[in-house]
Amino acid sequence: MKPFLHVRGLRSGYAGGVVLSGVDLDAEEGGIIAVLGRNGVGKTTLISTVMGFVRPYEGSVTLDGREIAGARVDVIARAGVGVVPQGRRVFAPLTVAEHLAIAARRRPARGPWTRARILELLPRLGERLGHRGDELSGGEQQMLAIARALLGNPRLLLLDEPSDGLAPAIVSQVGEVVREVSAEGMTVVLVEQNLGLALSVAEHVAVMRKGSIVHRATRAEFAAAPEDRRRLLGVD
Ligand SMILES: Nc1ncnc2c1ncn2[C@@H]1O[C@H](COP(=O)(O)OP(=O)(O)O)[C@@H](O)[C@H]1O
Ligand SMILES: [Mg+2]
């Protein structure tokens, strides 16, 4: 059986330059895979290429058997892919409620993740509905970025370094949220530098280096392999 997300030989980059030199990645339906790797290895480029922000030069991306490589972002979004971008991309002058209204209008989608359900999952956002983007803490901005993606009821959620810059208590909340959406059947690709978060939520890890995936392991295998972690990530 083919995995829900099936990426083969994906090559892409910017202005003709190559960043991804042939990425292979699989994710089972409802599973969580963490993509790890040092700065600059191409993790965000991988997310951007799957989402359609960057056009691939070559390769295949299938979602539940449907080819989406090279399609437009809106087509890929409607096929069921959602993204929580690196840096969160929250708009300073817009309130939380306005962000949610825009996301709900742009991606009307059926599924379990209604506005009410999302505010139940992320109660802090409900208390901040009238606050502007630039009045939110980093953690609140991250929760808003996640809420915005969930409103589209994606079948595949791509999260790009959601823990970046957040306090440890907020990082574990992000982990809880990821576990909860996955438990409802959403497939998750979690790009992280925070190994603790990655290993606390993901069943599988894939390590990128220089534009391709050079190591795959289960969570348990990777947790038990300090030498691999040191060699591939430079962490203990
Ligand atoms: N918009 C862009 N235009 C040109 N080069 C880029 C762009 N974004 C990233 N790059 C380059 O692509 C490489 C991989 O970057 P990126 O995918 O952001 O890595 P990571 O997310 O793993 O830190 C880097 O050399 C970076 O400078
Ligand atoms: Mg990045």
Short mmCIF file of all heavy atoms in Angstrom, two decimals, residues 14 19 37-46 86 160-161 193, ligand 1:
data_model
loop_
_atom_site.label_atom_id
_atom_site.label_comp_id
_atom_site.label_asym_id
_atom_site.label_seq_id
_atom_site.Cartn_x
_atom_site.Cartn_y
_atom_site.Cartn_z
N TYR A 14 15.73 27.75 -6.44
CA TYR A 14 15.35 29.13 -6.75
C TYR A 14 16.13 29.62 -7.95
O TYR A 14 17.36 29.44 -8.01
CB TYR A 14 15.61 30.03 -5.53
CG TYR A 14 14.96 29.49 -4.28
CD1 TYR A 14 15.64 28.63 -3.42
CD2 TYR A 14 13.63 29.79 -3.99
CE1 TYR A 14 15.04 28.12 -2.28
CE2 TYR A 14 13.01 29.27 -2.86
CZ TYR A 14 13.72 28.43 -2.00
OH TYR A 14 13.12 27.92 -0.89
N VAL A 19 18.34 23.44 -4.79
CA VAL A 19 18.39 23.28 -3.33
C VAL A 19 18.03 21.84 -2.98
O VAL A 19 18.80 21.14 -2.33
CB VAL A 19 17.48 24.29 -2.61
CG1 VAL A 19 17.46 24.00 -1.11
CG2 VAL A 19 17.95 25.72 -2.85
N GLY A 37 17.12 18.59 10.62
CA GLY A 37 18.32 18.96 9.85
C GLY A 37 18.78 20.34 10.24
O GLY A 37 17.99 21.16 10.70
N ARG A 38 20.07 20.56 10.04
CA ARG A 38 20.64 21.86 10.41
C ARG A 38 20.10 22.97 9.53
O ARG A 38 19.47 22.72 8.51
CB ARG A 38 22.16 21.79 10.28
CG ARG A 38 22.78 20.77 11.20
CD ARG A 38 24.28 20.79 11.02
NE ARG A 38 24.83 19.51 11.43
CZ ARG A 38 26.03 19.36 11.99
NH1 ARG A 38 26.81 20.39 12.18
NH2 ARG A 38 26.44 18.17 12.34
N ASN A 39 20.43 24.18 9.92
CA ASN A 39 20.04 25.35 9.15
C ASN A 39 20.55 25.28 7.72
O ASN A 39 21.69 24.92 7.50
CB ASN A 39 20.64 26.61 9.80
CG ASN A 39 19.59 27.35 10.58
OD1 ASN A 39 18.42 27.38 10.18
ND2 ASN A 39 19.97 27.93 11.69
N GLY A 40 19.67 25.66 6.79
CA GLY A 40 20.11 25.81 5.41
C GLY A 40 20.17 24.53 4.59
O GLY A 40 20.60 24.56 3.44
N VAL A 41 19.70 23.41 5.14
CA VAL A 41 19.79 22.15 4.38
C VAL A 41 18.64 21.98 3.38
O VAL A 41 18.68 21.09 2.53
CB VAL A 41 19.84 20.90 5.30
CG1 VAL A 41 21.10 20.91 6.15
CG2 VAL A 41 18.60 20.78 6.15
N GLY A 42 17.59 22.83 3.52
CA GLY A 42 16.50 22.76 2.54
C GLY A 42 15.15 22.34 3.10
O GLY A 42 14.23 22.02 2.35
N LYS A 43 15.00 22.41 4.42
CA LYS A 43 13.74 21.97 5.04
C LYS A 43 12.58 22.86 4.61
O LYS A 43 11.51 22.37 4.21
CB LYS A 43 13.87 21.97 6.57
CG LYS A 43 14.99 21.10 7.11
CD LYS A 43 15.06 21.10 8.63
CE LYS A 43 15.31 22.46 9.26
NZ LYS A 43 16.60 23.07 8.90
N THR A 44 12.78 24.17 4.68
CA THR A 44 11.70 25.08 4.28
C THR A 44 11.43 24.98 2.78
O THR A 44 10.28 25.05 2.34
CB THR A 44 12.06 26.53 4.69
OG1 THR A 44 12.12 26.58 6.12
CG2 THR A 44 11.02 27.53 4.20
N THR A 45 12.48 24.77 2.01
CA THR A 45 12.29 24.61 0.56
C THR A 45 11.46 23.36 0.27
O THR A 45 10.61 23.37 -0.63
CB THR A 45 13.67 24.54 -0.13
OG1 THR A 45 14.40 25.73 0.19
CG2 THR A 45 13.52 24.42 -1.65
N LEU A 46 11.66 22.32 1.05
CA LEU A 46 10.84 21.11 0.89
C LEU A 46 9.37 21.41 1.18
O LEU A 46 8.48 21.07 0.38
CB LEU A 46 11.36 20.01 1.82
CG LEU A 46 10.51 18.73 1.91
CD1 LEU A 46 10.39 18.06 0.54
CD2 LEU A 46 11.10 17.76 2.93
N GLN A 86 7.12 28.82 8.50
CA GLN A 86 8.19 29.26 9.40
C GLN A 86 8.02 30.76 9.64
O GLN A 86 7.71 31.52 8.73
CB GLN A 86 9.54 29.00 8.74
CG GLN A 86 10.71 29.33 9.63
CD GLN A 86 12.02 28.75 9.13
OE1 GLN A 86 12.17 28.43 7.95
NE2 GLN A 86 12.97 28.61 10.04
N ASP A 160 6.35 24.18 9.84
CA ASP A 160 7.76 24.53 9.66
C ASP A 160 8.30 25.23 10.91
O ASP A 160 8.03 26.40 11.14
CB ASP A 160 7.92 25.42 8.42
CG ASP A 160 9.36 25.50 7.95
OD1 ASP A 160 10.27 25.04 8.67
OD2 ASP A 160 9.59 26.04 6.84
N GLU A 161 9.04 24.48 11.70
CA GLU A 161 9.66 24.97 12.94
C GLU A 161 8.69 25.73 13.85
O GLU A 161 8.95 26.89 14.21
CB GLU A 161 10.88 25.84 12.61
CG GLU A 161 11.94 25.03 11.88
CD GLU A 161 13.35 25.58 12.05
OE1 GLU A 161 13.61 26.17 13.10
OE2 GLU A 161 14.15 25.39 11.13
N GLN A 193 13.85 21.96 14.60
CA GLN A 193 15.24 21.95 15.11
C GLN A 193 15.21 21.47 16.55
O GLN A 193 16.24 21.10 17.10
CB GLN A 193 15.83 23.36 15.10
CG GLN A 193 15.86 24.01 13.76
CD GLN A 193 17.25 24.03 13.16
OE1 GLN A 193 18.17 23.41 13.67
NE2 GLN A 193 17.39 24.75 12.05
N1 LIG B 1 13.68 32.55 -1.53
C1 LIG B 1 14.92 32.09 -1.72
N2 LIG B 1 15.67 32.49 -2.77
C2 LIG B 1 16.92 32.00 -2.97
N3 LIG B 1 17.52 31.10 -2.16
C3 LIG B 1 16.83 30.66 -1.10
C4 LIG B 1 15.50 31.13 -0.82
N4 LIG B 1 15.06 30.51 0.31
C5 LIG B 1 16.08 29.70 0.71
N5 LIG B 1 17.12 29.79 -0.13
C6 LIG B 1 18.40 29.03 -0.03
O1 LIG B 1 18.09 27.65 -0.06
C7 LIG B 1 18.91 26.92 0.86
C8 LIG B 1 18.01 26.14 1.80
O2 LIG B 1 17.24 27.06 2.58
P1 LIG B 1 16.00 26.59 3.44
O3 LIG B 1 15.14 25.71 2.63
O4 LIG B 1 15.38 27.81 4.01
O5 LIG B 1 16.73 25.73 4.58
P2 LIG B 1 16.26 25.34 6.05
O6 LIG B 1 14.79 25.56 6.16
O7 LIG B 1 16.66 23.90 6.20
O8 LIG B 1 17.04 26.21 7.00
C9 LIG B 1 19.79 27.95 1.56
O9 LIG B 1 21.03 27.95 0.92
C10 LIG B 1 19.06 29.25 1.33
O10 LIG B 1 19.97 30.32 1.27
#
